[in-house]
Amino acid sequence: MKRRPLLAGNWKMHTTVIEACHLAAEIGKCSADLDDRDVLLAPPFTVISEVAHVLRESRVLIASQNVCWEEQGAFTGEISPTMVKSAGGTAAIIGHSERRQIFHEDNGMINKRVHGALHFGLLPILCIGETLEEREAGKTFSVLEEQVREGLGGVSSDDMRKTVVAYEPVWAIGTGKTASKEQAQEAHAFVRKLLAEMYEKDIAESVRILYGGSVNPDNVDELMAQADIDGALVGGAALKAESFCRIINFT
Ligand code: PGA
């Protein structure tokens, strides 16, 4: 099955309003002719609406970097799916390793966020990935299986069709140490096989699985050439228009 590539930039805790508008405008320009792939930006909450405005005539999709399961209420520091949508977002990154490691979000909370996003019509991008310690202890696949099964607990087949998974080995994030194409492909194939056990085979074949962790202009082509890698979730290299434009124009 042919899956439409999705190239996503996660700006993390970077960009003031002015910086965000400049960067978004550059990316809008260099993505204008790309009609065979999706390009997505996840700016900080404070600039979602400005970035969406700058890109209103482009095909670039906007995501939040996290999302709450409630529509509103006493949840200081959170953002609701309705707020993301009203600011111009259509997707949400959920369970990023920085949320898991630094802010101690567990699979149960991440699962609630996935349901919240789906319930309010946002496309969830569920991030999974093992730490170096887990990889060295031979636990990579058991960790990924637990994150996938628990993160997607109770997600229906219909909703799974709208869900994206991002495999991001923690040891490759922000370290300049990318997983080899073989390591990444092996993990992606494992996740797809697992999805085929949990859902119908055609769903497993249609779900996009992104790779994240030190993706850059020099390694994107070989990563994207792997059978089960359907896109990239890019951090550092998404903060410079030049490198992100090269990445989204992968061949
Ligand atoms: P990186 O981050 O590209 O800077 O490694 C990827 C991510 O955290 O999504």
Side-chain angles (χ1 to χ4, degrees), residues 8-12 93 96-98 127 166 168-177 211-216 232-239 247:
N10 171 12
W11 291 358
K12 307 192 180 186
I93 294 175
H96 189 277
S97 74
E98 284 144 25
C127 302
E168 301 202 295
V170 178
W171 47 272
I173 296 181
T175 56
K177 204 174 142 191
Y211 169 77
S214 299
V215 175
N216 63 46
L233 182 50
V234 187
L239 288 171
I247 289 170

Side-chain angles (χ1 to χ4, degrees), residues 24-81:
E26 291 296 315
I27 291 162
K29 273 187 237 156
C30 69
S31 60
D33 298 328
L34 298 174
D35 50 14
D36 63 344
R37 58 197 73 184
D38 291 328
V39 176
L40 176 146
L41 295 178
F45 299 153
T46 46
V47 293
I48 290 178
S49 114
E50 281 81 357
V51 168
H53 182 74
V54 169
L55 293 170
R56 65 194 178 284
E57 271 161 21
S58 75
R59 29 176 138 237
V60 178
L61 306 167
I62 314 284
S64 56
Q65 296 175 14
N66 201 356
V67 75
C68 189
W69 49 90
E70 294 286 342
E71 188 172 16
Q72 58 177 9
F75 296 92
T76 302
E78 289 283 324
I79 186 166
S80 88

Side-chain angles (χ1 to χ4, degrees), residues 68-206:
C68 189
W69 49 90
E70 294 286 342
E71 188 172 16
Q72 58 177 9
F75 296 92
T76 302
E78 289 283 324
I79 186 166
S80 88
T82 325
M83 292 170 176
V84 174
K85 283 169 71 180
S86 75
T90 56
I93 294 175
I94 296 171
H96 189 277
S97 74
E98 284 144 25
R99 299 305 314 170
R100 294 177 187 263
Q101 311 267 309
I102 306 171
F103 301 99
H104 307 296
E105 291 194 14
D106 61 12
N107 287 325
M109 178 183 287
I110 287 161
N111 178 248
K112 285 172 79 170
R113 295 188 187 281
V114 168
H115 282 281
L118 287 164
H119 181 75
F120 291 98
L122 290 178
L123 175 142
I125 302 173
L126 171 66
C127 302
I128 58 169
E130 81 287 359
T131 62
L132 184 59
E133 210 181 2
E134 288 162 344
R135 176 163 280 264
E136 286 174 347
K139 294 189 191 147
T140 298
F141 295 129
S142 61
V143 168
L144 296 182
E145 175 156 2
E146 190 171 303
Q147 290 174 337
V148 169
R149 285 193 187 276
E150 294 184 15
L152 295 174
V155 171
S156 68
S157 296
D158 268 0
D159 279 342
M160 195 58 218
R161 291 181 198 279
K162 300 172 209 149
T163 301
V164 171
V165 177
Y167 169 62
E168 301 202 295
V170 178
W171 47 272
I173 296 181
T175 56
K177 204 174 142 191
T178 329
S180 68
K181 56 184 193 305
E182 293 82 9
Q183 282 171 322
Q185 166 57 25
E186 184 187 31
H188 283 229
F190 172 80
V191 171
R192 200 175 305 285
K193 192 163 145 280
L194 178 58
L195 291 173
E197 287 169 25
M198 297 167 62
Y199 296 93
E200 295 83 14
K201 193 157 186 298
D202 74 299
I203 295 180
E205 283 300 314
S206 68

